[in-house]
Amino acid sequence: MSERQTILAIDDTPENLQLLKGILMPQYSVLAAISGDAALKIVDKTRPDLILLDIMMSGMDGYEVCRILKSRRDTADIPVIFISAMSGVKDERHGFEIGAVDYITKPVNADLVRARVRTHLALADQQRSFKIMVEERTLELEQTQGAAIKMLAEAGHYNDTDTGDHIWRMASYSSALASAMKWPVERAAMLELAAAMHDTGKIGIPDSILKAPRTLSEDEWIIMKTHSEIGYHILRKSDSPIFQLAATIAHHHHEKWDGSGYPDGLAGKAIPECARIVAIADVFDALTMARAYKNVWDTDQAISMLREDAAKHFDPNMVERFISIMPKILTIKKRWDSREAKRS
Ligand SMILES: [Fe+2]
Ligand SMILES: [Fe+2]
């Protein structure tokens, strides 16, 4: 490191501070604090690379200063070395317990102080680069996963008559309904990504059926319905929680509350909650989105249809929740409509 590193020395005896300065300068830039309070004021403005801390001080003692430093996010990573005349295993142990990295006894030996400081600065440096590396890898993984989700979600609709907007809009509705069903924030956010993949299995359905501009024959319907199991088999290949959730959704998003849905004919609460949520969001969006071959339903018509189908197709309790958050749903819808309008 080319820049001079900064050491903060904290001791209530000015002579000791002078001594430490003499030992560490000019190799390091040394800041001195005569009390715990003064030290905390300094770390508010500058972040030292290492702290040498006297234990026995009038006012706030070294242990207390250390505890405060370790509890603050911006200072928790700064290595603290205790310097004190107090010697004994018990004091040392207490210092380590509250987060110190080392312990030097007075009277201090100049070479030893320099050696310990050098070692702990190097260790802290190493830890910092390791942390940065882990953060970079995590970000990279998240971006890769996000891209994979987008690709799978879009792939399912590639040959479909639906626009790509449908999957993302219904995904937003799904997460809004999940929040209304008291799902924790992170899980509702995860559902948003997973829901977008609900029709991934359509990738396995022939164009002639997906794009048929007419009512499907009975045989064609049988093939069409396999998209839920195809999607399930594709998505369950991953162990990650998000794809597991997506696999369950793909599998069961066409089940109906009264047991008349597919593929398993599950009824009531035997249908996974995530799939019950997505079923409502999916149908509501299908009804209210503009498509070339059908008339758009207005919101009131769509709401009465959901109510009519509650307890037949949908979880009745969830339908009421969905209707109760309609202002939020319509805000999401408006956002997407204006995006669509800009494009056309
Ligand atoms: Fe579907
Ligand atoms: Fe859909």
Side-chain angles (χ1 to χ4, degrees), residues 175 178-179 182-193 242 245:
S175 118
S179 302
K182 304 262 177 329
W183 280 35
V185 187
E186 317 81 63
R187 187 118 181 112
M190 193 196 270
L191 179 79
E192 179 153 4
L193 293 171
I242 196 158
L245 183 65

Side-chain angles (χ1 to χ4, degrees), residues 157 160 162 166-167 170 198-199 202 253-254 282-283 286:
H157 277 263
D160 204 348
D162 296 345
H166 160 66
I167 45 175
M170 68 74 76
H198 68 283
D199 270 341
K202 282 191 177 169
H253 70 284
H254 289 293
D282 193 22
V283 171

Side-chain angles (χ1 to χ4, degrees), residues 131-147:
K131 211 173 141 190
I132 291 171
M133 192 185 82
V134 170
E135 279 167 3
E136 280 172 358
R137 288 267 162 86
T138 311
L139 186 72
E140 203 181 289
L141 262 174
E142 275 170 10
Q143 283 169 343
T144 311
Q145 195 182 43

Side-chain angles (χ1 to χ4, degrees), residues 89-254:
V89 183
K90 221 175 113 203
D91 302 322
E92 278 185 41
R93 198 191 300 146
H94 187 51
F96 288 126
E97 270 166 13
I98 58 174
V101 292
D102 214 337
Y103 194 93
I104 299 173
T105 43
K106 285 181 193 172
V108 297
N109 170 297
D111 288 334
L112 187 119
V113 171
R114 277 192 284 262
R116 298 269 176 97
V117 165
R118 203 184 316 120
T119 304
H120 287 291
L121 281 173
L123 274 174
D125 235 22
Q126 233 173 46
Q127 259 166 21
R128 228 183 340 261
S129 1
F130 184 68
K131 211 173 141 190
I132 291 171
M133 192 185 82
V134 170
E135 279 167 3
E136 280 172 358
R137 288 267 162 86
T138 311
L139 186 72
E140 203 181 289
L141 262 174
E142 275 170 10
Q143 283 169 343
T144 311
Q145 195 182 43
I149 290 167
K150 284 217 168 84
M151 288 189 268
L152 275 169
E154 301 281 347
H157 277 263
Y158 192 66
N159 281 326
D160 204 348
T161 43
D162 296 345
T163 64
D165 286 350
H166 160 66
I167 45 175
W168 300 109
R169 192 171 42 218
M170 68 74 76
S172 298
Y173 295 161
S174 301
S175 118
L177 178 53
S179 302
M181 294 303 292
K182 304 262 177 329
W183 280 35
V185 187
E186 317 81 63
R187 187 118 181 112
M190 193 196 270
L191 179 79
E192 179 153 4
L193 293 171
M197 294 183 268
H198 68 283
D199 270 341
T200 292
K202 282 191 177 169
I203 201 167
I205 306 298
D207 274 15
S208 55
I209 295 178
L210 272 184
K211 287 185 171 165
R214 55 181 162 79
T215 321
L216 297 178
S217 73
E218 213 166 298
D219 286 346
E220 285 172 328
W221 254 117
I222 292 172
I223 296 170
M224 182 63 161
K225 283 176 175 178
T226 58
H227 82 274
S228 52
E229 277 172 311
I230 296 172
Y232 168 64
H233 287 295
I234 292 173
L235 294 164
R236 70 170 191 164
K237 298 256 160 28
S238 164
D239 292 331
S240 96
I242 196 158
F243 287 109
Q244 293 283 319
L245 183 65
T248 306
I249 291 169
H251 201 185
H252 296 298
H253 70 284
H254 289 293

